[in-house]
Amino acid sequence: EYVQANLFEGVKTLVSVDLPSAKTIGALAFKGCTQLTSVNMPVVTEVQRFAFNNCGTLTSLSMEEVTKIEGYAFQASGLQSVYAPKLKVLLGGAFNQSKALKSFVSEVLEEIDTTDNTYGPFAGAPIELIDLSTVHTISGQNSILHDIQRAAAVIFRSNTPPSLETANNLYTSNAGVKFYVPDDAVEAYKTAENWSAYASKILPLSDYEEPTE
């Protein structure tokens, strides 16, 4: 049920992996598997630090049961989109430098923590949609939007603004980033502690338009 840490690290001939019963992917388990294109992990709930670091040919991966993604787990991966419906905890650097990543969608996210990680989860990615669903805590001193490469739409679906440890948690030098929140909660977000600096970026969710190809 546990893929051991470092188990396949640097195995450049590994192309496909079937993990039908694994619940945890250990730290650095597949780091540097530069030819890895297919991973079946239907019941995995936790992906530990650097697990798929530098797996640039891994363009898609089902994360239906994943509840926790640790720091740099998918750094420099080839993932193009992420849908993690059961994800509850996301750590900083998770998708750092994933140069093909366009979207991240969660449904029950509770916490994003950058405490032990210098980079935000999506740093260096050309991400256009970040759906943080019901996240209620963003902690650490670093920004979750550090170095994102596109004018992303960041969606918050809770009527209660998430708790920010510091106003820096949402800082971005990308002027095009917008925060979309429930229509009835716009003013609550604009006046919440550590949110006021971003008041001009906060818009009603009804204004969000899906990107067209």
Side-chain angles (χ1 to χ4, degrees), residues 80-164:
Q80 298 173 359
S81 64
V82 172
Y83 174 57
K86 296 184 179 180
L87 185 67
K88 293 185 177 181
V89 179
L90 177 66
L91 301 190
F95 303 98
N96 180 42
Q97 303 303 315
S98 290
K99 298 295 188 179
L101 186 63
K102 294 292 185 65
S103 68
F104 170 88
V105 176
S106 62
E107 292 189 6
V108 294
L109 189 61
E110 296 177 358
E111 178 183 5
I112 304 176
D113 188 356
T114 65
T115 300
D116 297 324
N117 305 284
T118 302
Y119 297 102
F122 315 104
I127 197 158
E128 298 173 353
L129 171 63
I130 303 172
D131 190 334
L132 300 179
S133 61
T134 55
V135 65
H136 55 69
T137 303
I138 299 176
S139 55
Q141 296 298 309
N142 300 308
S143 173
I144 65 170
L145 302 176
H146 170 77
D147 196 33
I148 59 172
Q149 299 297 301
R150 294 282 178 87
V154 185
I155 296 177
F156 298 92
R157 298 187 183 274
S158 175
N159 284 313
T160 301
S163 170
L164 305 180

Side-chain angles (χ1 to χ4, degrees), residues 33 35-36 41 56 61 70 77 86 94 101 109 116 125 133 136 150 161 165-166 172 194-195 197:
C33 293
Q35 299 301 314
L36 185 63
M41 51 179 221
L61 182 66
E70 293 190 353
S77 77
K86 296 184 179 180
L101 186 63
L109 189 61
D116 297 324
S133 61
H136 55 69
R150 294 282 178 87
E165 183 170 332
T166 168
T172 174
N194 290 324
W195 280 84

